[in-house]
Amino acid sequence: MDKSTRGKNILLLILRLFFGCLFIYSGFVKIADPQNFAESIENYQIFGTWLSQWGAVLIPALEIVLGLMLLLGFWMKEALLLTAGLFVIFDVMVIQAAARGLNIACGCFSSSQNGLIDLWKILANSVLTVLIFTAYFLFPKKSQSAN
Amino acid sequence: MKTFSRIVQVIIFSLIAGIVINQFHSQGMSWRTLILPAFSKYGLVETNMIIVSADSALVLFNNKSTIFIDVRKNEDFQIDHIPLAHNIPSSSIMRADFSDFDQVIFKNNVLLYDQEGDLERLKLISNVWPSQGEKRVYILFGGYLSWLQNQNPVEFDG
């Protein structure tokens, strides 16, 4: 294994552990108060009340499952793809809310109604999105079948 | 194709896990809140829900034939509300957790109101509402704000 491959693998491992822990934390925080999280989703005014309830059921569980998959290295390509997809969805929701001037809580890593959407929140989410896509492209494609 | 299939499997597994966790979670979403609206949308579940204006609500109020239910948060209810209204926050209703409330409420016609009359939310609540027998569930169009605009009676706490 050459130096560059080893460097990529270490970076991928760090990103996997970071996103794994982040998603498990975020999932547990949201699952602790599903009603509040459903309200956070509804505040974005994209989905109605009913779909927001389903979102509050699915997203925290999906985050925990993806977090575990990233930590354990199980179905890595799929875990990275889904995580990246989730971040893109979160980004679109946050940016459209900011563009529409909605004064709402992000609900990104908590179910609370605190922490309003601002430029920093958008920037932080964008950085995380770039990092998860970096992890996806660092993942060695030829070894996918080995998982 | 394999990747797509695995992604679908992960989503379905997470969805089932989420539903199960919510059923055992004290703050979780009741399956009734999640499933029943899908059936009521297509008329497969009968609801006794009737949407009424603030004027009609005042008639019901004066007849004393209907119990008024304020589904707003307790902090909002504490400030002011329709006289004699009971406060059952929508979060409790979504969990289908009615054990703490006087069961007589569910044997009467009720009128549900929130702050602004969010019809989708109130319809969802009325689907879960455990009315007994052929009791009606009224929904206040325009919510508490329309009640205030009509200058109907209000009760202040504290």
Side-chain angles (χ1 to χ4, degrees), chain B residues 64-94:
Chain B
K64 301 192 191 316
S65 59
T66 302
I67 295 179
F68 282 55
I69 309 292
D70 190 320
V71 303
R72 296 175 300 162
K73 288 179 182 164
N74 188 258
E75 343 27 313
D76 298 328
F77 178 80
Q78 293 292 339
I79 298 168
D80 59 348
H81 51 259
I82 296 175
L84 302 176
H86 295 250
N87 180 220
I88 306 184
S90 58
S91 54
S92 294
I93 301 173
M94 297 296 193

Side-chain angles (χ1 to χ4, degrees), chain A residues 46-102:
Chain A
I46 298 178
F47 309 106
T49 308
W50 184 50
L51 280 180
S52 301
Q53 305 270 334
W54 276 103
V57 168
L58 172 65
I59 293 171
L62 187 58
E63 285 183 346
I64 293 171
V65 170
L66 287 176
L68 288 173
M69 286 170 75
L70 289 172
L71 286 183
L72 300 174
F74 180 72
W75 287 1
M76 276 294 293
K77 186 189 170 194
E78 291 77 9
L80 288 167
L81 255 180
L82 259 176
T83 309
L86 268 185
F87 269 103
V88 170
I89 294 170
F90 293 159
D91 280 350
V92 169
M93 286 180 70
V94 168
I95 290 169
Q96 69 82 32
R100 289 162 69 195
L102 298 178

Side-chain angles (χ1 to χ4, degrees), chain B residues 83-114:
Chain B
L84 302 176
H86 295 250
N87 180 220
I88 306 184
S90 58
S91 54
S92 294
I93 301 173
M94 297 296 193
R95 302 197 285 275
D97 175 14
F98 303 104
S99 51
D100 291 345
F101 304 102
D102 187 349
Q103 299 300 306
V104 174
I105 294 171
F106 309 114
K107 294 175 183 163
N108 284 281
N109 295 335
V110 291
L111 180 140
L112 306 173
Y113 71 90
D114 64 355

Side-chain angles (χ1 to χ4, degrees), chain A residues 31-32 34-35 38-39 42 48-50 53-54 56-58 61-62 65-66 69 75 77-78 81-82 147, chain B residues 3 6 9-11 14-15 18-19 21-22 25 27 29 33-34 37-38 73 91 94-95 118 120-121 124:
Chain A
I31 229 164
Q35 296 291 343
E39 211 170 298
E42 202 181 340
T49 308
W50 184 50
Q53 305 270 334
W54 276 103
V57 168
L58 172 65
L62 187 58
V65 170
L66 287 176
M69 286 170 75
W75 287 1
K77 186 189 170 194
E78 291 77 9
L81 255 180
L82 259 176
N147 285 313
Chain B
T3 303
R6 284 178 172 181
Q9 284 177 53
V10 171
I11 293 173
S14 303
L15 189 59
I19 293 171
I21 290 168
N22 270 272
H25 189 331
Q27 305 287 317
M29 234 88 63
T33 326
L34 297 168
K73 288 179 182 164
S91 54
M94 297 296 193
R95 302 197 285 275
D118 179 346
E120 197 197 338
R121 175 172 279 266
L124 198 66

Side-chain angles (χ1 to χ4, degrees), chain A residues 118-128:
Chain A
D118 55 16
L119 197 62
W120 288 112
K121 202 69 105 183
I122 295 171
L123 197 65
N125 273 12
S126 307
V127 169
L128 289 173

